[in-house]
Amino acid sequence: MGPCSDDMAFHNRRRGQRGEIWAVTGRTQSPRLAVIVLVLSAGILAAAQVGKVPPLLPAIRGELALTLVEAGWMTSLTTLTGALFGATFGFLADRLGAARMLLAGLALLAGAGLAGAAAVSGSGLAGTRALESIGLIAVVVAGPRLLYSASPQRLHGLTLGLWGCYMPAGMALIMFATPMLHGLGWRDIWLVNAAVLALLLLTAGIVMRPIRAPAASAARAAPPLRLRVVLTRPAPWVLAACFGLYSMQWFAVAAWLPTYLIESLGHPPAQAARITAAVVAVNVAGNIAGAWLIHRGVARARLVALAYLAMAASAVGIFSGGSGALTPVIAAILFSGLGGILPAAVMAGAARHAPGPAQVGLVTGIIIQGANLGSLAGPPVTAGAVLLLGGWERLHWPLLAASTVGLLLAAALARLERR
């Protein structure tokens, strides 16, 4: 197989199956950029609902009398649905229409946020977080299908690669925004999020009106490949495993870096929070770089391998007890920035390894499910490793092991893409 060139040349023969593509008419060509911007905004704002809890946990715990374990679940509940049902939601996006699913996801996120602001108990708030997890995965699996449909073939790798930055961009956005809203309580911040989501939902409903009905009819008219044709392909599962190992490491570092900086390196809490926000934000730059490299034709497997090598070397710098308090900070920035190449490379692979355009959502769902499994497991697994190994200074060993397995997966991916 030749260079990536957005990985989609071989899909030309299936253009007639593109259920959600814009018709090539003057009336529908112009909104393409609006759809791309709107979909990316939806992903970022949906991911912000994952990141809104950690900065506000002290206030939430104090008001609702949550234990530390309950507070931890409050943070991770939004990834639960994706970890369990990512592939299922991807299949539904292909069959029911990605535009409809994105709108439903935004509506559920807004409604759950509004209900969460009125929660009077930990269980009530947890219930709204579970609803937010359904809305999140609906947006996340619908987004790539819509980006694929709204962008020209030569930009598929770039636009789908950019989708990989939705999570760090959303988390960084809320991390930087929350201190600016310090005069508001956590319930007010929930209401602000719900209002912004509702505004985006209204905008999306207007912009996507031309494609909602055609999408559904085209999906019924297209002869869909059987589910097993996708599920028996090895490449989507390899991509999912690559994303899972990455997200396990990245979420572990993002979750525990403040604790490590404060308890082991003596950073003040406010400084540790700013450092962590910067580490999360630089991941966005890595995603953008990865999308651009895919667009320029760099082999996907090489980018995945580069990301794992960079994360392995940086993990040693973060946790091996190097001299001074600055070395771990620089290493964490490199870990997040260079590691960020991987999500873009993997997400762009959804279009390459789908049997046809009608299955892009399902392949995306498989990849997202792997990512969510990794993010769900990362913080507790690394916390157990710290206890088992006897301290933060040995935490780089499980991270090195994960990156080693990732390099083997990159080699397998290279063989699959050479076929």
Side-chain angles (χ1 to χ4, degrees):
M1 190 80 60
C4 293
S5 63
D6 300 343
D7 300 328
M8 291 305 301
F10 71 99
H11 279 317
N12 286 345
R13 66 186 182 275
R14 294 191 179 273
R15 282 178 180 168
Q17 296 181 10
R18 297 178 71 172
E20 300 221 9
I21 199 162
W22 295 99
V24 185
T25 67
R27 184 177 66 84
T28 56
Q29 281 288 324
S30 57
R32 278 183 168 179
L33 181 59
V35 171
I36 292 172
V37 172
L38 189 145
V39 170
L40 291 173
S41 299
I44 291 170
L45 191 55
Q49 309 315 303
V50 179
K52 69 184 179 183
V53 170
L56 300 169
L57 265 182
I60 296 172
R61 287 186 65 197
E63 185 173 336
L64 301 182
L66 301 180
T67 67
L68 188 62
V69 173
E70 290 171 337
W73 274 109
M74 207 66 68
T75 302
S76 62
L77 266 174
T78 45
T79 64
L80 183 61
T81 300
L84 297 176
F85 303 111
T88 302
F89 273 75
F91 176 73
L92 291 174
D94 286 332
R95 301 303 299 144
L96 303 179
R100 291 178 174 181
M101 179 161 282
L102 183 110
L103 293 173
L106 288 174
L108 191 54
L109 285 169
L114 187 63
V120 295
S121 66
S123 59
L125 185 60
T128 66
R129 293 293 282 170
L131 290 176
E132 286 180 332
S133 76
I134 299 174
L136 173 66
I137 192 61
V139 171
V140 166
V141 300
R145 177 71 186 270
L146 289 167
L147 291 174
Y148 174 82
S149 299
S151 59
Q153 180 181 312
R154 62 186 177 82
L155 295 180
H156 281 158
L158 182 62
T159 54
L160 291 175
L162 286 174
W163 182 250
C165 75
Y166 75 90
M167 183 61 73
M171 293 182 67
L173 174 67
I174 202 70
M175 284 181 175
F176 286 114
T178 299
M180 293 187 288
L181 301 173
H182 65 278
L184 301 178
W186 71 267
R187 296 181 187 275
D188 294 324
I189 292 177
W190 251 245
L191 290 173
V192 170
N193 273 278
V196 176
L197 283 162
L199 180 61
L200 185 63
L201 172 63
L202 178 62
T203 306
I206 295 171
V207 172
M208 293 187 177
R209 183 177 299 172
I211 62 173
R212 291 205 303 275
S217 62
R220 288 192 296 268
L225 298 179
R226 291 183 180 180
L227 187 63
R228 65 178 179 83
V229 174
V230 178
L231 297 181
T232 55
R233 287 189 170 217
W237 300 103
V238 172
L239 291 169
C242 288
F243 210 156
L245 285 172
Y246 159 84
S247 62
M248 183 183 73
Q249 297 182 73
W250 189 82
F251 271 90
V253 170
W256 295 118
L257 185 62
T259 302
Y260 175 62
L261 292 173
I262 294 168
E263 294 183 357
S264 296
L265 302 182
H267 286 268
Q271 186 181 56
R274 287 193 296 270
I275 291 171
T276 304
V279 168
V280 171
V282 78
N283 189 257
V284 178
N287 274 264
I288 294 172
W292 182 81
L293 290 170
I294 281 288
H295 176 63
R296 299 297 298 173
V298 179
R300 186 183 339 280
R302 290 184 181 180
L303 294 177
V304 171
L306 173 62
Y308 279 129
L309 287 171
M311 292 171 75
S314 301
V316 175
I318 299 171
F319 294 112
S320 64
S323 59
L326 185 60
T327 299
V329 173
I330 296 173
I333 290 173
L334 292 174
F335 177 94
S336 184
L338 295 176
I341 296 172
L342 186 145
V346 169
M347 289 304 302
R352 168 97 176 237
H353 293 287
Q359 290 79 37
V360 171
L362 175 55
V363 176
T364 299
I366 292 172
I367 295 171
I368 293 298
Q369 186 161 346
N372 278 272
L373 283 169
S375 61
L376 191 66
V381 166
T382 49
V386 170
L387 295 175
L388 182 64
L389 297 174
W392 293 103
E393 290 74 18
R394 294 180 177 86
L395 185 57
H396 61 282
W397 287 113
L399 299 182
L400 286 173
S403 289
T404 301
V405 176
L407 289 171
L408 296 176
L409 289 171
L413 181 62
R415 287 196 296 271
L416 287 171
E417 295 207 334
R418 282 197 297 266
R419 292 180 181 176

